[in-house]
Amino acid sequence: MTSTTATSIARTSLGGCELVRDLMERGVTVRVLNMGTVEDTPMGRMMLTVMFAMAEFDRDMIVQRLAEGMEVARANNPDFRIGRKPVEYDEQQFRDLTKMVDSGEITAKEAWETLGVGKTTWYKLRKAA
């Protein structure tokens, strides 16, 4: 397992070790990339524990660096926001297009293309209206 793989199958080193031990008890052969088969021996269990611990540490460091980076960004830019910018559209044009779709004059696809938004955004706007 690489750090990424170890992180994706368990949230913590303890959880990963428990998962692998459960698999071994069921007779599943555990193979780790670049390492081979993990034996159900003290040395094999120790290697898994170390690998899961390193994966958990790596993930924790990533989370910490992201938090620090966002803190710096907020300090330098009070308007800092995470995520996509809100979609801008003409509300009157949206209402007109909605009426046209409801009356069957145009399709929903034609409406969202005219408004300049995507399909999902169109239906979210329709639901909110």
Side-chain angles (χ1 to χ4, degrees):
M1 290 177 199
T2 64
S3 296
T4 305
T5 306
T7 303
S8 65
I9 66 171
R11 291 271 182 202
T12 64
S13 56
L14 180 61
C17 290
E18 288 174 354
L19 175 68
V20 172
R21 284 188 184 135
D22 181 53
L23 291 172
M24 287 180 169
E25 287 173 5
R26 294 179 188 198
V28 175
T29 301
V30 178
R31 290 195 173 94
V32 178
L33 297 175
N34 300 328
M35 194 173 125
T37 303
V38 176
E39 303 287 328
D40 192 11
T41 62
M43 181 61 85
R45 289 188 297 272
M46 188 270 309
M47 290 302 296
L48 279 175
T49 302
V50 169
M51 287 173 39
F52 279 115
M54 292 304 296
E56 183 177 352
F57 172 75
D58 186 37
R59 177 70 183 135
D60 290 345
M61 293 303 296
I62 290 168
V63 170
Q64 181 180 344
R65 287 191 302 266
L66 281 171
E68 290 170 356
M70 287 188 288
E71 190 176 311
V72 169
R74 282 188 189 100
N76 293 333
N77 180 3
D79 297 327
F80 174 77
R81 290 183 45 171
I82 297 173
R84 295 181 181 173
K85 293 181 180 179
V87 175
E88 294 182 14
Y89 63 95
D90 182 337
E91 291 184 30
Q92 182 58 49
Q93 185 183 24
F94 170 71
R95 285 191 292 274
D96 294 342
L97 290 168
T98 300
K99 289 176 187 174
M100 293 172 73
V101 169
D102 291 343
S103 68
E105 293 177 53
I106 61 171
T107 65
K109 182 177 182 182
E110 291 170 331
W112 76 63
E113 287 175 349
T114 302
L115 192 59
V117 299
K119 177 181 179 179
T120 304
T121 302
W122 170 260
Y123 285 108
K124 284 182 182 177
L125 292 171
R126 287 290 308 253
K127 189 175 183 178

mmCIF file of all heavy atoms in Angstrom, residues 72-119:
data_model
loop_
_atom_site.group_PDB
_atom_site.id
_atom_site.type_symbol
_atom_site.label_atom_id
_atom_site.label_comp_id
_atom_site.label_asym_id
_atom_site.label_seq_id
_atom_site.Cartn_x
_atom_site.Cartn_y
_atom_site.Cartn_z
ATOM 1 N N VAL A 72 -3.659 32.227 6.105
ATOM 2 C CA VAL A 72 -2.840 33.280 5.494
ATOM 3 C C VAL A 72 -3.634 33.997 4.411
ATOM 4 O O VAL A 72 -3.609 35.225 4.315
ATOM 5 C CB VAL A 72 -1.529 32.686 4.921
ATOM 6 C CG1 VAL A 72 -0.805 33.692 4.052
ATOM 7 C CG2 VAL A 72 -0.633 32.198 6.045
ATOM 8 N N ALA A 73 -4.351 33.236 3.593
ATOM 9 C CA ALA A 73 -5.140 33.842 2.517
ATOM 10 C C ALA A 73 -6.210 34.774 3.090
ATOM 11 O O ALA A 73 -6.425 35.861 2.565
ATOM 12 C CB ALA A 73 -5.785 32.755 1.657
ATOM 13 N N ARG A 74 -6.864 34.350 4.166
ATOM 14 C CA ARG A 74 -7.882 35.201 4.798
ATOM 15 C C ARG A 74 -7.264 36.462 5.389
ATOM 16 O O ARG A 74 -7.867 37.535 5.349
ATOM 17 C CB ARG A 74 -8.617 34.425 5.883
ATOM 18 C CG ARG A 74 -9.644 33.478 5.354
ATOM 19 C CD ARG A 74 -10.483 32.866 6.475
ATOM 20 N NE ARG A 74 -11.309 31.812 5.939
ATOM 21 C CZ ARG A 74 -11.032 30.521 6.019
ATOM 22 N NH1 ARG A 74 -9.955 30.115 6.651
ATOM 23 N NH2 ARG A 74 -11.834 29.635 5.500
ATOM 24 N N ALA A 75 -6.061 36.335 5.955
ATOM 25 C CA ALA A 75 -5.383 37.495 6.543
ATOM 26 C C ALA A 75 -5.011 38.514 5.474
ATOM 27 O O ALA A 75 -5.076 39.722 5.698
ATOM 28 C CB ALA A 75 -4.140 37.053 7.310
ATOM 29 N N ASN A 76 -4.625 38.029 4.295
ATOM 30 C CA ASN A 76 -4.209 38.908 3.208
ATOM 31 C C ASN A 76 -5.372 39.418 2.367
ATOM 32 O O ASN A 76 -5.232 40.410 1.657
ATOM 33 C CB ASN A 76 -3.208 38.181 2.297
ATOM 34 C CG ASN A 76 -1.912 37.901 3.008
ATOM 35 O OD1 ASN A 76 -1.535 38.605 3.933
ATOM 36 N ND2 ASN A 76 -1.228 36.847 2.592
ATOM 37 N N ASN A 77 -6.505 38.726 2.421
ATOM 38 C CA ASN A 77 -7.652 39.105 1.602
ATOM 39 C C ASN A 77 -8.924 38.847 2.397
ATOM 40 O O ASN A 77 -9.375 37.715 2.487
ATOM 41 C CB ASN A 77 -7.659 38.285 0.306
ATOM 42 C CG ASN A 77 -8.827 38.624 -0.582
ATOM 43 O OD1 ASN A 77 -9.617 39.508 -0.288
ATOM 44 N ND2 ASN A 77 -8.948 37.895 -1.684
ATOM 45 N N PRO A 78 -9.527 39.885 2.945
ATOM 46 C CA PRO A 78 -10.736 39.703 3.758
ATOM 47 C C PRO A 78 -11.903 39.092 2.982
ATOM 48 O O PRO A 78 -12.800 38.506 3.569
ATOM 49 C CB PRO A 78 -11.091 41.121 4.216
ATOM 50 C CG PRO A 78 -9.929 41.969 3.894
ATOM 51 C CD PRO A 78 -9.103 41.272 2.873
ATOM 52 N N ASP A 79 -11.882 39.214 1.660
ATOM 53 C CA ASP A 79 -12.957 38.662 0.833
ATOM 54 C C ASP A 79 -12.687 37.225 0.399
ATOM 55 O O ASP A 79 -13.431 36.677 -0.426
ATOM 56 C CB ASP A 79 -13.166 39.529 -0.412
ATOM 57 C CG ASP A 79 -13.617 40.931 -0.056
ATOM 58 O OD1 ASP A 79 -14.340 41.072 0.951
ATOM 59 O OD2 ASP A 79 -13.239 41.874 -0.779
ATOM 60 N N PHE A 80 -11.637 36.611 0.939
ATOM 61 C CA PHE A 80 -11.277 35.240 0.571
ATOM 62 C C PHE A 80 -12.432 34.289 0.851
ATOM 63 O O PHE A 80 -13.012 34.313 1.932
ATOM 64 C CB PHE A 80 -10.037 34.786 1.350
ATOM 65 C CG PHE A 80 -9.679 33.347 1.129
ATOM 66 C CD1 PHE A 80 -9.051 32.957 -0.038
ATOM 67 C CD2 PHE A 80 -9.990 32.380 2.080
ATOM 68 C CE1 PHE A 80 -8.720 31.630 -0.251
ATOM 69 C CE2 PHE A 80 -9.661 31.052 1.875
ATOM 70 C CZ PHE A 80 -9.028 30.674 0.702
ATOM 71 N N ARG A 81 -12.785 33.506 -0.153
ATOM 72 C CA ARG A 81 -13.831 32.499 0.001
ATOM 73 C C ARG A 81 -13.388 31.207 -0.637
ATOM 74 O O ARG A 81 -12.661 31.212 -1.626
ATOM 75 C CB ARG A 81 -15.120 32.967 -0.665
ATOM 76 C CG ARG A 81 -15.779 34.107 0.066
ATOM 77 C CD ARG A 81 -17.059 34.502 -0.563
ATOM 78 N NE ARG A 81 -17.843 33.307 -0.893
ATOM 79 C CZ ARG A 81 -19.089 33.348 -1.309
ATOM 80 N NH1 ARG A 81 -19.681 34.496 -1.445
ATOM 81 N NH2 ARG A 81 -19.746 32.250 -1.596
ATOM 82 N N ILE A 82 -13.861 30.120 -0.097
ATOM 83 C CA ILE A 82 -13.571 28.803 -0.650
ATOM 84 C C ILE A 82 -14.759 28.399 -1.521
ATOM 85 O O ILE A 82 -15.899 28.644 -1.164
ATOM 86 C CB ILE A 82 -13.354 27.779 0.470
ATOM 87 C CG1 ILE A 82 -12.142 28.166 1.291
ATOM 88 C CG2 ILE A 82 -13.174 26.377 -0.102
ATOM 89 C CD1 ILE A 82 -11.940 27.319 2.522
ATOM 90 N N GLY A 83 -14.481 27.789 -2.652
ATOM 91 C CA GLY A 83 -15.547 27.300 -3.510
ATOM 92 C C GLY A 83 -15.715 28.158 -4.742
ATOM 93 O O GLY A 83 -14.968 29.094 -5.000
ATOM 94 N N ARG A 84 -16.713 27.804 -5.477
ATOM 95 C CA ARG A 84 -16.991 28.514 -6.721
ATOM 96 C C ARG A 84 -17.634 29.862 -6.448
ATOM 97 O O ARG A 84 -18.329 30.039 -5.461
ATOM 98 C CB ARG A 84 -17.933 27.692 -7.591
ATOM 99 C CG ARG A 84 -17.321 26.406 -8.059
ATOM 100 C CD ARG A 84 -18.285 25.667 -8.928
ATOM 101 N NE ARG A 84 -17.686 24.408 -9.351
ATOM 102 C CZ ARG A 84 -18.333 23.476 -10.009
ATOM 103 N NH1 ARG A 84 -19.598 23.652 -10.326
ATOM 104 N NH2 ARG A 84 -17.731 22.368 -10.354
ATOM 105 N N LYS A 85 -17.429 30.764 -7.377
ATOM 106 C CA LYS A 85 -18.097 32.060 -7.295
ATOM 107 C C LYS A 85 -19.576 31.845 -7.614
ATOM 108 O O LYS A 85 -19.922 30.986 -8.421
ATOM 109 C CB LYS A 85 -17.493 33.035 -8.301
ATOM 110 C CG LYS A 85 -16.073 33.416 -7.985
ATOM 111 C CD LYS A 85 -15.538 34.398 -9.003
ATOM 112 C CE LYS A 85 -14.101 34.750 -8.655
ATOM 113 N NZ LYS A 85 -13.522 35.678 -9.611
ATOM 114 N N PRO A 86 -20.439 32.644 -7.000
ATOM 115 C CA PRO A 86 -21.863 32.516 -7.315
ATOM 116 C C PRO A 86 -22.110 32.797 -8.800
ATOM 117 O O PRO A 86 -21.454 33.639 -9.402
ATOM 118 C CB PRO A 86 -22.528 33.604 -6.458
ATOM 119 C CG PRO A 86 -21.533 33.920 -5.388
ATOM 120 C CD PRO A 86 -20.183 33.634 -5.964
ATOM 121 N N VAL A 87 -23.047 32.074 -9.357
ATOM 122 C CA VAL A 87 -23.386 32.241 -10.767
ATOM 123 C C VAL A 87 -24.142 33.555 -10.945
ATOM 124 O O VAL A 87 -25.064 33.856 -10.187
ATOM 125 C CB VAL A 87 -24.263 31.064 -11.260
ATOM 126 C CG1 VAL A 87 -24.715 31.283 -12.689
ATOM 127 C CG2 VAL A 87 -23.497 29.763 -11.139
ATOM 128 N N GLU A 88 -23.715 34.332 -11.914
ATOM 129 C CA GLU A 88 -24.393 35.589 -12.214
ATOM 130 C C GLU A 88 -25.301 35.383 -13.421
ATOM 131 O O GLU A 88 -24.898 34.793 -14.419
ATOM 132 C CB GLU A 88 -23.365 36.678 -12.505
ATOM 133 C CG GLU A 88 -22.520 37.037 -11.296
ATOM 134 C CD GLU A 88 -21.532 38.160 -11.575
ATOM 135 O OE1 GLU A 88 -21.681 38.847 -12.613
ATOM 136 O OE2 GLU A 88 -20.624 38.342 -10.760
ATOM 137 N N TYR A 89 -26.536 35.859 -13.281
ATOM 138 C CA TYR A 89 -27.495 35.741 -14.373
ATOM 139 C C TYR A 89 -28.521 36.854 -14.240
ATOM 140 O O TYR A 89 -28.683 37.456 -13.182
ATOM 141 C CB TYR A 89 -28.181 34.373 -14.354
ATOM 142 C CG TYR A 89 -29.003 34.132 -13.109
ATOM 143 C CD1 TYR A 89 -30.367 34.387 -13.092
ATOM 144 C CD2 TYR A 89 -28.401 33.677 -11.937
ATOM 145 C CE1 TYR A 89 -31.122 34.195 -11.953
ATOM 146 C CE2 TYR A 89 -29.145 33.475 -10.787
ATOM 147 C CZ TYR A 89 -30.505 33.725 -10.795
ATOM 148 O OH TYR A 89 -31.243 33.534 -9.666
ATOM 149 N N ASP A 90 -29.202 37.128 -15.319
ATOM 150 C CA ASP A 90 -30.242 38.158 -15.354
ATOM 151 C C ASP A 90 -31.539 37.528 -14.849
ATOM 152 O O ASP A 90 -32.089 36.613 -15.476
ATOM 153 C CB ASP A 90 -30.399 38.654 -16.789
ATOM 154 C CG ASP A 90 -31.426 39.765 -16.930
ATOM 155 O OD1 ASP A 90 -32.322 39.872 -16.062
ATOM 156 O OD2 ASP A 90 -31.328 40.517 -17.914
ATOM 157 N N GLU A 91 -32.048 38.021 -13.726
ATOM 158 C CA GLU A 91 -33.235 37.423 -13.107
ATOM 159 C C GLU A 91 -34.479 37.570 -13.976
ATOM 160 O O GLU A 91 -35.296 36.646 -14.043
ATOM 161 C CB GLU A 91 -33.462 38.026 -11.726
ATOM 162 C CG GLU A 91 -32.393 37.598 -10.733
ATOM 163 C CD GLU A 91 -32.658 38.100 -9.328
ATOM 164 O OE1 GLU A 91 -33.837 38.272 -8.954
ATOM 165 O OE2 GLU A 91 -31.675 38.317 -8.608
ATOM 166 N N GLN A 92 -34.610 38.707 -14.627
ATOM 167 C CA GLN A 92 -35.776 38.893 -15.495
ATOM 168 C C GLN A 92 -35.718 37.926 -16.675
ATOM 169 O O GLN A 92 -36.726 37.316 -17.043
ATOM 170 C CB GLN A 92 -35.865 40.345 -16.001
ATOM 171 C CG GLN A 92 -37.084 40.625 -16.864
ATOM 172 C CD GLN A 92 -38.399 40.325 -16.144
ATOM 173 O OE1 GLN A 92 -38.605 40.749 -15.019
ATOM 174 N NE2 GLN A 92 -39.273 39.581 -16.799
ATOM 175 N N GLN A 93 -34.531 37.773 -17.247
ATOM 176 C CA GLN A 93 -34.373 36.838 -18.358
ATOM 177 C C GLN A 93 -34.682 35.418 -17.887
ATOM 178 O O GLN A 93 -35.320 34.646 -18.603
ATOM 179 C CB GLN A 93 -32.945 36.919 -18.928
ATOM 180 C CG GLN A 93 -32.752 36.055 -20.159
ATOM 181 C CD GLN A 93 -31.329 36.083 -20.677
ATOM 182 O OE1 GLN A 93 -30.390 36.372 -19.928
ATOM 183 N NE2 GLN A 93 -31.165 35.780 -21.948
ATOM 184 N N PHE A 94 -34.270 35.069 -16.677
ATOM 185 C CA PHE A 94 -34.563 33.751 -16.114
ATOM 186 C C PHE A 94 -36.085 33.540 -16.015
ATOM 187 O O PHE A 94 -36.599 32.492 -16.399
ATOM 188 C CB PHE A 94 -33.904 33.589 -14.742
ATOM 189 C CG PHE A 94 -34.348 32.366 -14.003
ATOM 190 C CD1 PHE A 94 -33.952 31.106 -14.414
ATOM 191 C CD2 PHE A 94 -35.184 32.464 -12.895
ATOM 192 C CE1 PHE A 94 -34.378 29.961 -13.734
ATOM 193 C CE2 PHE A 94 -35.606 31.341 -12.206
ATOM 194 C CZ PHE A 94 -35.204 30.089 -12.634
ATOM 195 N N ARG A 95 -36.788 34.533 -15.493
ATOM 196 C CA ARG A 95 -38.250 34.419 -15.362
ATOM 197 C C ARG A 95 -38.906 34.262 -16.743
ATOM 198 O O ARG A 95 -39.815 33.430 -16.925
ATOM 199 C CB ARG A 95 -38.821 35.630 -14.626
ATOM 200 C CG ARG A 95 -38.541 35.594 -13.122
ATOM 201 C CD ARG A 95 -39.334 36.654 -12.372
ATOM 202 N NE ARG A 95 -38.910 38.021 -12.677
ATOM 203 C CZ ARG A 95 -37.916 38.658 -12.069
ATOM 204 N NH1 ARG A 95 -37.245 38.065 -11.103
ATOM 205 N NH2 ARG A 95 -37.602 39.890 -12.415
ATOM 206 N N ASP A 96 -38.436 35.044 -17.707
ATOM 207 C CA ASP A 96 -38.992 34.957 -19.064
ATOM 208 C C ASP A 96 -38.735 33.573 -19.667
ATOM 209 O O ASP A 96 -39.629 32.965 -20.260
ATOM 210 C CB ASP A 96 -38.396 36.032 -19.970
ATOM 211 C CG ASP A 96 -38.776 37.450 -19.557
ATOM 212 O OD1 ASP A 96 -39.764 37.608 -18.788
ATOM 213 O OD2 ASP A 96 -38.079 38.401 -19.993
ATOM 214 N N LEU A 97 -37.515 33.087 -19.514
ATOM 215 C CA LEU A 97 -37.168 31.767 -20.057
ATOM 216 C C LEU A 97 -37.960 30.668 -19.364
ATOM 217 O O LEU A 97 -38.385 29.699 -20.002
ATOM 218 C CB LEU A 97 -35.659 31.512 -19.929
ATOM 219 C CG LEU A 97 -34.775 32.358 -20.842
ATOM 220 C CD1 LEU A 97 -33.311 32.237 -20.433
ATOM 221 C CD2 LEU A 97 -34.962 31.938 -22.296
ATOM 222 N N THR A 98 -38.176 30.812 -18.064
ATOM 223 C CA THR A 98 -38.958 29.823 -17.323
ATOM 224 C C THR A 98 -40.377 29.738 -17.879
ATOM 225 O O THR A 98 -40.921 28.644 -18.078
ATOM 226 C CB THR A 98 -38.990 30.183 -15.818
ATOM 227 O OG1 THR A 98 -37.656 30.194 -15.333
ATOM 228 C CG2 THR A 98 -39.803 29.176 -15.025
ATOM 229 N N LYS A 99 -40.967 30.891 -18.140
ATOM 230 C CA LYS A 99 -42.321 30.917 -18.720
ATOM 231 C C LYS A 99 -42.339 30.239 -20.092
ATOM 232 O O LYS A 99 -43.280 29.512 -20.426
ATOM 233 C CB LYS A 99 -42.820 32.352 -18.828
ATOM 234 C CG LYS A 99 -43.157 32.980 -17.492
ATOM 235 C CD LYS A 99 -43.558 34.437 -17.652
ATOM 236 C CE LYS A 99 -43.719 35.105 -16.295
ATOM 237 N NZ LYS A 99 -43.970 36.548 -16.418
ATOM 238 N N MET A 100 -41.302 30.515 -20.876
ATOM 239 C CA MET A 100 -41.230 29.926 -22.214
ATOM 240 C C MET A 100 -41.075 28.411 -22.148
ATOM 241 O O MET A 100 -41.675 27.688 -22.952
ATOM 242 C CB MET A 100 -40.084 30.555 -23.006
ATOM 243 C CG MET A 100 -40.312 32.032 -23.328
ATOM 244 S SD MET A 100 -38.866 32.831 -24.055
ATOM 245 C CE MET A 100 -38.880 32.122 -25.694
ATOM 246 N N VAL A 101 -40.286 27.922 -21.193
ATOM 247 C CA VAL A 101 -40.125 26.476 -21.033
ATOM 248 C C VAL A 101 -41.450 25.866 -20.585
ATOM 249 O O VAL A 101 -41.886 24.835 -21.106
ATOM 250 C CB VAL A 101 -38.989 26.146 -20.017
ATOM 251 C CG1 VAL A 101 -38.996 24.675 -19.656
ATOM 252 C CG2 VAL A 101 -37.644 26.553 -20.582
ATOM 253 N N ASP A 102 -42.090 26.501 -19.599
ATOM 254 C CA ASP A 102 -43.359 25.991 -19.080
ATOM 255 C C ASP A 102 -44.449 25.943 -20.147
ATOM 256 O O ASP A 102 -45.297 25.043 -20.142
ATOM 257 C CB ASP A 102 -43.827 26.824 -17.887
ATOM 258 C CG ASP A 102 -42.935 26.641 -16.664
ATOM 259 O OD1 ASP A 102 -42.165 25.648 -16.627
ATOM 260 O OD2 ASP A 102 -43.008 27.489 -15.743
ATOM 261 N N SER A 103 -44.410 26.893 -21.076
ATOM 262 C CA SER A 103 -45.432 26.920 -22.135
ATOM 263 C C SER A 103 -45.048 26.025 -23.315
ATOM 264 O O SER A 103 -45.846 25.850 -24.232
ATOM 265 C CB SER A 103 -45.650 28.351 -22.624
ATOM 266 O OG SER A 103 -44.496 28.825 -23.306
ATOM 267 N N GLY A 104 -43.845 25.508 -23.318
ATOM 268 C CA GLY A 104 -43.417 24.617 -24.394
ATOM 269 C C GLY A 104 -42.818 25.312 -25.593
ATOM 270 O O GLY A 104 -42.563 24.682 -26.616
ATOM 271 N N GLU A 105 -42.585 26.618 -25.488
ATOM 272 C CA GLU A 105 -42.007 27.364 -26.609
ATOM 273 C C GLU A 105 -40.562 26.961 -26.876
ATOM 274 O O GLU A 105 -40.127 26.946 -28.033
ATOM 275 C CB GLU A 105 -42.063 28.866 -26.330
ATOM 276 C CG GLU A 105 -43.456 29.442 -26.284
ATOM 277 C CD GLU A 105 -43.432 30.913 -25.932
ATOM 278 O OE1 GLU A 105 -42.699 31.681 -26.614
ATOM 279 O OE2 GLU A 105 -44.114 31.288 -24.969
ATOM 280 N N ILE A 106 -39.813 26.710 -25.799
ATOM 281 C CA ILE A 106 -38.410 26.292 -25.932
ATOM 282 C C ILE A 106 -38.168 25.138 -24.963
ATOM 283 O O ILE A 106 -38.945 24.898 -24.033
ATOM 284 C CB ILE A 106 -37.418 27.442 -25.622
ATOM 285 C CG1 ILE A 106 -37.575 27.937 -24.177
ATOM 286 C CG2 ILE A 106 -37.564 28.567 -26.621
ATOM 287 C CD1 ILE A 106 -36.506 28.912 -23.747
ATOM 288 N N THR A 107 -37.058 24.437 -25.175
ATOM 289 C CA THR A 107 -36.693 23.345 -24.266
ATOM 290 C C THR A 107 -35.889 23.910 -23.104
ATOM 291 O O THR A 107 -35.355 25.028 -23.185
ATOM 292 C CB THR A 107 -35.838 22.287 -24.991
ATOM 293 O OG1 THR A 107 -34.589 22.892 -25.375
ATOM 294 C CG2 THR A 107 -36.557 21.732 -26.219
ATOM 295 N N ALA A 108 -35.782 23.134 -22.057
ATOM 296 C CA ALA A 108 -34.983 23.555 -20.908
ATOM 297 C C ALA A 108 -33.529 23.750 -21.324
ATOM 298 O O ALA A 108 -32.870 24.697 -20.893
ATOM 299 C CB ALA A 108 -35.090 22.529 -19.786
ATOM 300 N N LYS A 109 -33.047 22.893 -22.213
ATOM 301 C CA LYS A 109 -31.661 23.017 -22.671
ATOM 302 C C LYS A 109 -31.437 24.350 -23.382
ATOM 303 O O LYS A 109 -30.433 25.020 -23.153
ATOM 304 C CB LYS A 109 -31.289 21.861 -23.588
ATOM 305 C CG LYS A 109 -29.854 21.905 -24.057
ATOM 306 C CD LYS A 109 -29.488 20.709 -24.914
ATOM 307 C CE LYS A 109 -28.026 20.807 -25.304
ATOM 308 N NZ LYS A 109 -27.606 19.709 -26.165
ATOM 309 N N GLU A 110 -32.369 24.728 -24.224
ATOM 310 C CA GLU A 110 -32.257 26.014 -24.915
ATOM 311 C C GLU A 110 -32.272 27.162 -23.900
ATOM 312 O O GLU A 110 -31.549 28.141 -24.055
ATOM 313 C CB GLU A 110 -33.401 26.187 -25.914
ATOM 314 C CG GLU A 110 -33.311 25.251 -27.101
ATOM 315 C CD GLU A 110 -34.563 25.249 -27.970
ATOM 316 O OE1 GLU A 110 -35.666 25.493 -27.429
ATOM 317 O OE2 GLU A 110 -34.435 24.996 -29.174
ATOM 318 N N ALA A 111 -33.082 27.007 -22.862
ATOM 319 C CA ALA A 111 -33.182 28.055 -21.843
ATOM 320 C C ALA A 111 -31.878 28.214 -21.079
ATOM 321 O O ALA A 111 -31.372 29.326 -20.918
ATOM 322 C CB ALA A 111 -34.321 27.736 -20.880
ATOM 323 N N TRP A 112 -31.295 27.102 -20.596
ATOM 324 C CA TRP A 112 -30.066 27.253 -19.810
ATOM 325 C C TRP A 112 -28.904 27.700 -20.667
ATOM 326 O O TRP A 112 -28.030 28.413 -20.190
ATOM 327 C CB TRP A 112 -29.762 26.033 -18.948
ATOM 328 C CG TRP A 112 -29.202 24.784 -19.592
ATOM 329 C CD1 TRP A 112 -28.020 24.644 -20.229
ATOM 330 C CD2 TRP A 112 -29.801 23.498 -19.590
ATOM 331 N NE1 TRP A 112 -27.851 23.340 -20.644
ATOM 332 C CE2 TRP A 112 -28.927 22.613 -20.255
ATOM 333 C CE3 TRP A 112 -30.984 22.977 -19.100
ATOM 334 C CZ2 TRP A 112 -29.194 21.259 -20.430
ATOM 335 C CZ3 TRP A 112 -31.244 21.625 -19.270
ATOM 336 C CH2 TRP A 112 -30.371 20.787 -19.935
ATOM 337 N N GLU A 113 -28.895 27.317 -21.935
ATOM 338 C CA GLU A 113 -27.845 27.801 -22.834
ATOM 339 C C GLU A 113 -28.001 29.298 -23.088
ATOM 340 O O GLU A 113 -27.013 30.033 -23.132
ATOM 341 C CB GLU A 113 -27.850 27.007 -24.138
ATOM 342 C CG GLU A 113 -27.310 25.599 -23.970
ATOM 343 C CD GLU A 113 -27.411 24.758 -25.236
ATOM 344 O OE1 GLU A 113 -28.090 25.182 -26.214
ATOM 345 O OE2 GLU A 113 -26.818 23.665 -25.244
ATOM 346 N N THR A 114 -29.226 29.752 -23.264
ATOM 347 C CA THR A 114 -29.490 31.177 -23.476
ATOM 348 C C THR A 114 -29.098 31.993 -22.251
ATOM 349 O O THR A 114 -28.513 33.068 -22.362
ATOM 350 C CB THR A 114 -30.984 31.412 -23.800
ATOM 351 O OG1 THR A 114 -31.319 30.652 -24.957
ATOM 352 C CG2 THR A 114 -31.267 32.879 -24.038
ATOM 353 N N LEU A 115 -29.421 31.458 -21.078
ATOM 354 C CA LEU A 115 -29.118 32.157 -19.827
ATOM 355 C C LEU A 115 -27.615 32.117 -19.510
ATOM 356 O O LEU A 115 -27.106 32.948 -18.773
ATOM 357 C CB LEU A 115 -29.918 31.530 -18.676
ATOM 358 C CG LEU A 115 -29.961 32.283 -17.371
ATOM 359 C CD1 LEU A 115 -30.550 33.684 -17.561
ATOM 360 C CD2 LEU A 115 -30.769 31.511 -16.341
ATOM 361 N N GLY A 116 -26.922 31.152 -20.109
ATOM 362 C CA GLY A 116 -25.475 31.048 -19.883
ATOM 363 C C GLY A 116 -25.111 30.314 -18.604
ATOM 364 O O GLY A 116 -24.083 30.593 -17.990
ATOM 365 N N VAL A 117 -25.964 29.366 -18.204
ATOM 366 C CA VAL A 117 -25.680 28.555 -17.025
ATOM 367 C C VAL A 117 -25.716 27.090 -17.425
ATOM 368 O O VAL A 117 -26.182 26.740 -18.514
ATOM 369 C CB VAL A 117 -26.700 28.817 -15.884
ATOM 370 C CG1 VAL A 117 -26.650 30.273 -15.438
ATOM 371 C CG2 VAL A 117 -28.105 28.419 -16.271
ATOM 372 N N GLY A 118 -25.245 26.237 -16.548
ATOM 373 C CA GLY A 118 -25.267 24.806 -16.816
ATOM 374 C C GLY A 118 -26.603 24.181 -16.446
ATOM 375 O O GLY A 118 -27.460 24.799 -15.808
ATOM 376 N N LYS A 119 -26.739 22.932 -16.820
ATOM 377 C CA LYS A 119 -27.974 22.190 -16.574
ATOM 378 C C LYS A 119 -28.309 22.137 -15.081
ATOM 379 O O LYS A 119 -29.442 22.430 -14.674
ATOM 380 C CB LYS A 119 -27.819 20.771 -17.126
ATOM 381 C CG LYS A 119 -28.987 19.865 -16.886
ATOM 382 C CD LYS A 119 -28.705 18.481 -17.467
ATOM 383 C CE LYS A 119 -29.853 17.529 -17.236
ATOM 384 N NZ LYS A 119 -29.557 16.199 -17.820
#
